[in-house]
């Protein structure tokens, strides 16, 4: 059994059979469309790329069909920058999904096996346990929701495998990690990337610690080269992503957390569909038997290290529910500040828990004496694992069948135009030849407020008196307009501006975020082309990095082991070559910077202002935190029972990230109680407007020092009991050292319970 | 070596077989048949029904998400989505025809520039997802 397990072909045969069983019952519906809301958007991204290539013969750079136009490679959720895109091109987006599931699941099992075998001596034990991670419940949940890009997470074992191999001095490890990471990122695994970064650091630390002291420095140097190659090979995707997210950063607040019981339920409860979504419980299903195996394997000395890692990942998965919260600490780091869904660390916990589980499979049969015991124990353990894998396959099939399936019919208009759209039905819009301005993404997309879904023509002259414009040809990356200008004027294109747009005539400008060209007078064709530096430079860096990797691995095979004597200069040159290409691009390819979008509140009001609005009540209150509340305005309730609140404050010193604003709206004490009427909805005496992100744009701790922040928000008080209400403001910490900051200088405000009163109103 | 081939060849055949079977079944899976097209009369009726419903959605979305323009608009579209599905199911027509009817209706009174009054929520509200998910 052990010898068979070591044969790649045999393993792949087993894994292919398992993957076939996984998708088998879903194959008849392969051509159907997943109507789940997230699937709409993710399918649209993939389809935009397919259409760009097949209909227009262009690279999938600009996606005009969503949000008024976005940089396809810079969109965190698009997945076409990976070899799996060929499947979408060949079979269509819907049909390709099950092939992706099949292929990535096989890769996930093989990667897990190979990674386990680095430290698990029994090949058959590693083989038996490898499918558990690759079939875990979150892949079923991802398939249900159309999160096909999450299957990129199946490549995590390969990233970790490469790290350990590289730390052990094998150049192939660098290639394995770099290519697996690039595929994952290219496949839309941007959510996985921060988790993988954490796992990579843990794996690297472990691999280095396993090396004899004399070899550790070299291992560190090789792992640094590996990190460089990971970034360089993924550059085609990372550079556009970095450009997008630097201009449109995602800010995450909240204190998500899970109790140990809930974490256990994530792992062992059966995953079910309810109210057209999958339940939390079971969404990382690996089964109770797997957990038991981990516990049994935990008694092994060799399982101590992986178990420590498992505990760390469980601690992270607990989020803010476990004090102190390691997750909160992680969020303090710049790249990881937007982490959410701490339960996703269960993925890594499962992967690392596979090692003690495999140790249990290897060790338990040897505990007793005699052939019968060994055979019996092996049979029971194997059947346990087979039953678990069977349940995982059944879960996948059941959840997959629970999807709401629909038909997408192609019936395009003659000419592309933007429509009001609807992100809940986004994938149906490009089929009618329209773009959807209704936009949901995981980050605040820079969109022009001048985009419209009711224009007579998508290309027009800003001042119609100055001239006219007529479309000559249209494609995602290239638009030709015939402009007749009586004098110099501005041509407007009903799409978002991006610094990658160029024009054959005049100057491309951003008109409040809209793509526009300042033209001289006269009649001519104007050709607009999208050639973003980030994608072109990223592509060149990726190509050179892949070439360097090939040379590195081939050199190692011929005895020129990386960073060994005689190969230091060569290795260094290969590591630096991709970055030299990037340097050349930066030096020679001019392009304006993609500026961050103006910081605004959710109601559109600016987040940073010169001073409070004239009608705001002056306060001048101070707290024991370095904050000054200059003024506040409480307006309403309006006829819809909404209260509009504007706070004006300044940060005067450093604040911890956990600092938040709390706003309490309370019915004033001492008023007559109002009797509830039978049959009427219950009224309320208290409302909250607590939040951690101010001005709709940044953490309170990141507010520019000394600058007046306008923090605008609303509270609906439709269920308020009639009477007079006070609005109280205070500051505190959302996690860690909880509690309210004391008021040190109330200014003109009344104080109660470490809060200042910023306004009052009456509900009749 | 002989032992290698005895196991590796059948194993490789299984891998190729599984891949082929899955690929062929995916490629040959029957494509779903789209529903019928809406008639011009139905399109007009749909456009009118959605336009009327929009007026009630506006107030509700403002109450659900006070002072949050993107969330209000997203809530609006959530309601539009349900209504469009409901109409498509009820009439047994393509959802694309419902969306096209609405879009044509919105485009009927066409704006010439970006600064003209907007009566149908046809202007873009930049995406600004809420900063919390717990």
């Amino acid at each position: 059994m052990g010898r068979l397990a070591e044969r790649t072909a045999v393993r792949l045969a087993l894994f292919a059979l398992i993957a076939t069983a996984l998708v088998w019952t879903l194959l008849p519906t392969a051509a159907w469309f997943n109507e789940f809301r997230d699937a709409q958007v993710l399918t649209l991204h993939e389809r935009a790329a397919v259409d760009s290539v097949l209909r227009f013969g262009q690279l999938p750079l600009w996606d005009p069909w969503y949000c008024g136009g976005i940089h396809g490679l810079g969109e965190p959720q698009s997945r076409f920058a990976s070899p799996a895109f060929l499947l979408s091109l060949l079979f269509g987006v819907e049909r390709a999904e099950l092939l992706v599931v099949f292929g990535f699941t096989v890769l996930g099992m093989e990667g897990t096996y190979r990674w386990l075998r680095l430290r698990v001596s029994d090949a058959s034990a590693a083989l038996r346990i490898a499918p558990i991670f690759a079939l875990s419940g979150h892949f079923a949940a991802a398939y249900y929701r159309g999160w096909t890009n999450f299957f990129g997470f199946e490549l995590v074992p390969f990233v970790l495998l490469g790290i350990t191999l590289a730390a052990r001095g094998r150049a192939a490890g660098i290639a394995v990690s770099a290519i697996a990471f690039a595929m994952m990122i290219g496949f839309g695994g941007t959510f996985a990337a921060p988790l993988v970064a954490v796992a990579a650091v843990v794996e690297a630390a472990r691999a280095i610690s396993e090396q004899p002291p004399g070899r550790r420095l070299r291992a560190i140097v090789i792992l640094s080269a590996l990190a460089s190659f990971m970034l360089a090979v993924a550059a085609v995707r990372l550079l556009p992503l970095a450009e997008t997210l630097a201009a449109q950063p995602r800010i995450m607040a909240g204190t998500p957390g899970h109790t140990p019981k809930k974490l256990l339920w994530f792992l062992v409860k059966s995953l079910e569909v309810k109210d057209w979504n999958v339940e939390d419980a079971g969404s990382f299903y690996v089964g109770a038997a797997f957990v038991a195996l981990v516990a049994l394997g935990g008694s092994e000395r060799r399982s101590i290290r992986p178990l420590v890692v498992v505990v760390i990942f469980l601690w992270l998965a607990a989020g803010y529910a476990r004090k102190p919260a390691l997750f909160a600490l992680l969020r303090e780091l710049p790249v990881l500040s937007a982490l959410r869904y701490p339960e996703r660390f269960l993925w890594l916990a499962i992967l690392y828990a596979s090692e003690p589980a495999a140790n249990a499979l290897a060790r338990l049969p040897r505990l007793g004496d005699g052939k019968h015991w060994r055979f019996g124990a092996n049979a029971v353990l194997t059947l346990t694992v087979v039953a678990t894998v069977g349940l995982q396959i059944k879960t996948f099939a059941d959840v997959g069948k629970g999807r709401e399936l629909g038909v997408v019919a192609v019936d395009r208009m003659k000419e592309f135009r933007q429509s009001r759209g609807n992100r809940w039905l986004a994938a149906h819009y490009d089929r009618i030849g329209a773009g959807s301005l209704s936009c949901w993404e995981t980050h605040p997309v820079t969109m022009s407020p001048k985009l419209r879904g009711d224009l007579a023509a998508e290309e027009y002259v800003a001042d119609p008196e100055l001239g006219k414009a007529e479309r000559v040809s249209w494609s995602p990356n290239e638009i030709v307009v015939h402009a007749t200008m009586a004098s110099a004027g501005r041509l407007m294109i009903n799409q978002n501006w991006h610094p990658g747009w160029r024009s054959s005539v005049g100057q491309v400008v951003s008109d409040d975020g809209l793509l526009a060209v300042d033209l001289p007078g006269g009649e001519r064709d104007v050709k607009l082309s999208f050639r973003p530096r980030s994608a072109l430079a990223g592509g060149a860096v990726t190509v050179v990095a892949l070439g360097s990797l090939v040379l590195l691995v081939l050199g190692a095979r011929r005895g020129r082991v990386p960073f060994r004597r005689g190969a230091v200069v060569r290795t260094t040159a290969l590591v630096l070559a991709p970055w030299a290409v990037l340097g050349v691009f930066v030096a020679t390819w001019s392009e304006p910077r993609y500026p961050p979008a103006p910081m605004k509140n959710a109601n559109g009001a600016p987040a940073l202002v010169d001073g409070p609005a004239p009608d705001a009540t002056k306060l001048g209150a101070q707290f024991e935190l370095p904050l000054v509340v200059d003024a506040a305005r409480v307006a309403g309730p309006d006829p819809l029972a909404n209260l509009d609140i504007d706070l004006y404050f300044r940060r005067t010193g450093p604040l911890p990230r956990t600092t938040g604003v709390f706003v309490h709206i309370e019915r004033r004490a001492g008023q007559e109680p109002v009797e509830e009427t039978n049959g009427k909805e219950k009224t309320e005496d208290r409302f909250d407007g607590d939040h951690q992100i101010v001005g709709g744009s940044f953490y309170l701790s990141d507010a520019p020092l000394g600058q007046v922040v306008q923090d605008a928000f609303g509270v609906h008080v439709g269920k308020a009991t009639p009477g007079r209400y006070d609005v109280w403001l205070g500051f505190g910490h959302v996690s860690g050292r909880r509690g309210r900051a004391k008021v040190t200088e109330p200014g003109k405000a009344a104080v109660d319970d470490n809060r200042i009163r910023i306004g009052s109103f009456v509900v009749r | 070596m002989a032992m290698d081939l005895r196991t590796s060849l059948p194993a490789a055949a299984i891998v190729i077989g599984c891949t082929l079977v899955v690929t062929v079944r995916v490629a040959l899976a029957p494509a779903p048949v789209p529903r019928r097209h809406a008639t011009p009369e139905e399109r007009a009726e749909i456009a009118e029904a959605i336009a009327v419903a929009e007026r009630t959605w506006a107030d509700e979305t403002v109450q659900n998400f006070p002072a949050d323009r993107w969330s209000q608009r997203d809530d609006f579209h959530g309601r539009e989505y349900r209504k469009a599905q409901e109409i498509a199911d009820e009439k047994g027509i393509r959802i694309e025809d419902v969306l096209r009817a609405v879009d044509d209706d919105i485009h009927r009174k066409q704006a010439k520039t970006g600064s003209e009054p907007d009566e149908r929520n046809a202007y873009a509200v930049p995406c600004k997802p809420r900063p919390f998910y717990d």
Side-chain angles (χ1 to χ4, degrees), chain A residues 683-708:
Chain A
T683 59
E684 293 170 16
D685 289 354
R686 189 179 190 282
F687 302 85
D688 279 342
D690 302 355
H691 53 283
Q692 194 184 357
I693 305 299
V694 294
S697 303
F698 40 77
Y699 290 100
L700 193 53
S701 57
D702 294 335
L705 205 63
Q707 170 85 51
V708 178

Side-chain angles (χ1 to χ4, degrees), chain A residues 12-225:
Chain A
L12 289 179
L14 176 66
F15 296 153
L17 285 169
I18 292 174
T20 304
L22 187 75
V23 299
W24 189 255
T25 56
L26 301 168
L27 290 172
T29 55
W32 289 73
F33 169 68
N34 184 352
E35 292 276 7
F36 189 74
R37 55 183 181 270
D38 295 6
Q40 299 272 354
V41 174
L42 297 174
T43 302
L44 180 57
H45 288 319
E46 186 75 348
R47 206 186 280 145
V50 169
D51 279 356
S52 293
V53 175
L54 296 184
R55 278 181 60 210
F56 298 100
Q58 297 180 342
L59 287 173
L61 297 175
W62 184 252
D63 173 1
W65 290 282
Y66 194 47
C67 305
I70 48 176
H71 184 353
L73 278 169
E75 164 47 48
Q77 298 196 100
S78 67
R79 63 171 189 264
F80 61 82
S82 85
F85 182 52
L86 289 172
L87 296 173
S88 292
L89 288 175
L90 284 171
F91 296 94
V93 177
E94 285 83 5
R95 289 179 197 269
E97 282 187 2
L98 275 178
L99 295 175
V100 164
V101 173
F102 175 83
F104 275 79
T105 306
V106 171
L107 284 174
M109 289 186 270
E110 177 65 9
T112 307
Y113 169 85
R114 286 179 182 242
W115 176 71
L116 285 172
R117 281 289 282 139
L118 294 169
R119 298 177 181 96
V120 173
S121 55
D122 186 330
S124 77
L127 178 73
R128 281 174 285 169
I129 219 69
I132 306 271
F133 163 78
L135 302 173
S136 57
H138 211 66
F139 291 111
Y143 183 65
Y144 179 89
R145 292 169 175 151
W147 298 351
T148 309
N149 52 336
F150 273 54
F151 281 83
F153 214 85
E154 297 275 18
L155 301 176
V156 172
F158 278 109
V159 176
L160 304 183
L161 169 75
I163 287 171
T164 297
L165 288 178
R168 292 178 183 178
R170 290 184 53 189
I174 298 178
V176 169
S177 276
I179 291 170
F181 181 72
M183 273 181 70
M184 204 161 66
I185 297 293
F187 198 63
T190 39
F191 298 111
L195 271 68
V196 175
V198 176
V201 168
V202 168
E203 184 73 9
R206 188 182 175 196
I208 291 167
S209 73
E210 288 168 350
Q211 293 296 305
R215 289 192 190 164
R216 285 181 186 164
L217 182 62
R218 192 167 154 268
I220 291 170
V221 172
I222 292 181
L223 288 177
S224 304

